[in-house]
Amino acid sequence: TQLLEQSPQFLSIQEGENLTVYCNSSSVFSSLQWYRQEPGEGPVLLVTVVTGGEVKKLKRLTFQFGDARKDSSLHITAAQPGDTGLYLCAGEGVETSYDKVIFGPGTSLSVIP
Amino acid sequence: NAGVTQTPKFRILKIGQSMTLQCTQDMNHNYMYWYRQDPGMGLKLIYYSVGAGITDKGEVPNGYNVSRSTTEDFPLRLELAAPSQTSVYFCASSHGGQPQHFGDGTRLSIL
């Protein structure tokens, strides 16, 4: 069974601070996605990483896929209140014969003005 | 395009009642999914479909049923509601292997 863990579970920081959240597994994934979910809404895709060691930037957000494709990190520079939300990672497995992603439990981020 | 539309947004059921959660997408996606989200537990896959007429169980299918008679619609049926099914339900769609698009969810309480 492929599992994804995320850390920390909760994070509360002041506006302007930097932060990193992590997504880890003992399994290899063919690709990994990061989503942000705001209260009362569904998750919205931020990025997909596919290649081991890949780094993608989305404005102040930097995403990295581990070399072994078992882990990923999301770094936010100069966090803003609009970054508040639940950050979910989701891995597309190499062991399944169909397109099914496995979601981590999420990191709940609160950015205080 | 409306994307993925779920109805209703909120619902309260009594134990033993039945209901259908509706999901429709207008992106001509072949893959559709149903998830439930419980606090601190992430999203758990209930059922998914790779195309009209084809459905399969996910991680937590017990107590639920689905059908996929058209590409656009993927309803989720609860036959005998139980308190353990209190959750937020999300429908999603994708072009298989591509990122998933989610609806805004149905918040279901069973009392």
Side-chain angles (χ1 to χ4, degrees):
Chain A
T1 301
Q2 295 176 299
L3 295 174
L4 276 172
E5 298 178 342
Q6 290 189 246
S7 61
Q9 185 178 2
F10 300 98
L11 187 57
S12 181
I13 62 170
Q14 293 291 133
E15 182 177 359
E17 293 184 353
N18 301 331
L19 68 115
T20 302
V21 297
Y22 300 92
C23 174
N24 297 290
S25 175
S26 58
S27 301
V28 175
F29 290 96
S30 58
S31 68
L32 197 138
Q33 301 161 8
W34 283 94
Y35 294 80
R36 179 169 63 218
Q37 184 180 17
E38 298 186 17
E41 299 182 6
V44 175
L45 179 72
L46 296 174
V47 78
T48 299
V49 286
V50 178
T51 306
E54 181 177 6
V55 176
K56 281 192 174 180
K57 292 191 175 184
L58 184 65
K59 297 182 180 178
R60 294 175 293 100
L61 279 61
T62 302
F63 304 85
Q64 184 162 8
F65 201 12
D67 290 340
R69 292 185 291 143
K70 294 182 177 182
D71 55 84
S72 181
S73 64
L74 160 58
H75 182 80
I76 301 178
T77 303
Q80 298 178 1
D83 296 326
T84 293
L86 180 68
Y87 288 82
L88 296 161
C89 66
E92 186 171 359
V94 296
E95 299 173 6
T96 56
S97 60
Y98 43 78
D99 292 294
K100 184 183 78 170
V101 295
I102 298 169
F103 283 84
T107 291
S108 181
L109 172 65
S110 177
V111 182
I112 302 166
Chain B
N1 287 346
V4 179
T5 303
Q6 292 184 237
T7 57
K9 294 190 183 298
F10 305 93
R11 184 72 184 269
I12 298 174
L13 283 181
K14 294 182 179 179
I15 296 171
Q17 287 186 320
S18 61
M19 78 162 292
T20 299
L21 282 66
Q22 301 292 344
C23 175
T24 187
Q25 53 95 5
D26 61 1
M27 296 171 283
N28 201 32
H29 285 167
N30 50 345
Y31 286 69
M32 295 188 74
Y33 313 78
W34 272 106
Y35 293 92
R36 59 178 289 172
Q37 185 176 37
D38 300 312
M41 300 296 289
L43 289 156
K44 300 293 185 184
L45 183 65
I46 304 171
Y47 270 94
Y48 68 99
S49 169
V50 301
I54 305 170
T55 63
D56 209 343
K57 296 178 180 179
E59 186 179 358
V60 289
N62 291 343
Y64 307 94
N65 280 299
V66 294
S67 60
R68 185 91 181 273
S69 57
T70 66
T71 299
E72 295 78 19
D73 300 307
F74 191 39
L76 177 71
R77 177 85 177 161
L78 281 72
E79 291 293 350
L80 290 170
S84 61
Q85 293 177 306
T86 292
S87 189
V88 182
Y89 291 84
F90 288 99
C91 179
S93 70
S94 71
H95 267 307
Q98 298 299 315
Q100 298 185 12
H101 298 257
F102 285 83
D104 285 337
T106 294
R107 190 173 299 272
L108 180 63
S109 294
I110 298 165
L111 306 175

